[in-house]
Amino acid sequence: MTIRPICITGNPVLHTKALEVTEFNEELSQLVQDMYETMDEAPGVGLAAPQIGVNLRVFVYDWDAEDGSAQRGVVINPVLTISEVPVGEADWESESEGCLSVPGERFPLRRAETAVLTGVDLDQNPVHIEASGWFARIFQHEFDHLEGILYVDKLEDEYAAEAKEIIKDRGWGKDGLSWLPGEEKLEG
Ligand code: ZN
């Protein structure tokens, strides 16, 4: 297994709709293993294939629920059905999310409270998960990645402006930028 560099916003693969997986081969299996390892090292609660530069409809997730249950898995060619996204302003305390492709930043965003995720796993067995709360949020965030959408693309105007500024200040928003999970620890 290999920890792979995570693409930073501006890399075209993050802003392009990903392609359906058609080949369930060793290469796909390797990709998923690398995605798990990269997500764990980052660390993150989810990672989509475009974030490591692979333009395929695959994401992994790892979430410890409030009730103590652990949710970890992969979904390939997902379909996501969500409840209505609530209207009104997002709350900083309870609705702020982050993204490994906009590292170190957080902004609030309204998301649907419930989501039903379907698709297949590596063995092409069906996946069917009904999620709510933060788990449903993770699915919405990762699914958006496969559509070429980052959460910062969906922020309310005030936060969108702030995010844009930060991305500019950091020198992001252009092709070819990435970071390698684990690497920063060597500097400390
Ligand atoms: Zn993300």
Side-chain angles (χ1 to χ4, degrees), residues 70-88:
Q71 306 276 358
R72 183 176 170 89
V74 60
V75 63
I76 298 159
N77 298 336
V79 173
L80 192 69
T81 308
I82 59 172
S83 57
E84 206 171 320
V85 176
V87 292

Side-chain angles (χ1 to χ4, degrees), residues 3 24 27 39 47 49 54-55 59 72 83 103 106 125 128 131 142 144 148 155 162 170 185:
I3 295 169
F24 288 76
E27 199 181 331
M39 172 178 67
L47 186 76
V54 177
N55 187 31
F59 71 73
R72 183 176 170 89
S83 57
R106 293 184 80 76
N125 291 318
H128 180 109
E142 299 311 327
D144 279 351
L155 299 174
E162 204 177 317
R170 301 270 193 282
K185 287 172 191 162

Side-chain angles (χ1 to χ4, degrees), residues 93-150:
E93 290 295 314
S94 62
E95 297 181 290
S96 283
E97 60 185 70
C99 179
L100 296 173
S101 293
V102 190
E105 306 302 332
R106 293 184 80 76
F107 289 100
L109 177 66
R110 298 239 102 170
R111 293 284 195 185
E113 176 59 25
T114 63
V116 178
L117 177 72
T118 58
V120 297
D121 66 14
L122 269 177
D123 298 318
Q124 299 189 65
N125 291 318
V127 169
H128 180 109
I129 303 171
E130 294 178 19
S132 62
W134 205 267
F135 194 31
R137 179 180 290 269
I138 293 168
F139 287 166
Q140 291 168 76
H141 181 113
E142 299 311 327
F143 187 84
D144 279 351
H145 273 301
L146 307 183
E147 297 295 296
I149 296 166
L150 301 185

